[in-house]
Amino acid sequence: LTRKYRGNQRDLARAKNAKKQGNDKGKKADDGMSAAARKLRDAEIMQQKQKKANDPKPADEKAK
């Protein structure tokens, strides 16, 4: 491969990736929160999940 070809290949890959990133809006939505606020929100969500996972289930549900 010549250097010119690799440069062209790199440019084509960058263009393809830019197009892909432009169409990919669903993965990372900008919710307008700061990093600290997002971190607090995520921590609360994780605590709720952990609490739900650690809560003992009633005896009648275990028997089923």
Side-chain angles (χ1 to χ4, degrees), residues 6-63:
R6 283 191 312 220
N8 185 35
Q9 189 176 24
R10 187 179 300 125
D11 290 341
L12 292 174
R14 284 182 181 156
K16 182 179 177 182
N17 192 33
K19 182 179 177 183
K20 179 179 166 187
Q21 293 296 324
N23 292 335
D24 195 19
K25 295 180 182 178
K27 286 197 175 183
K28 187 174 181 182
D30 184 18
D31 52 7
M33 299 177 74
S34 69
R38 189 176 309 110
K39 190 173 182 179
L40 286 173
R41 181 198 63 192
D42 292 346
E44 289 175 9
I45 292 170
M46 290 305 296
Q47 287 173 354
Q48 291 172 357
K49 286 183 180 181
Q50 287 176 346
K51 183 180 178 184
K52 185 177 180 181
N54 291 334
D55 284 343
K57 293 185 178 181
D60 61 332
E61 285 187 21
K62 288 181 182 177

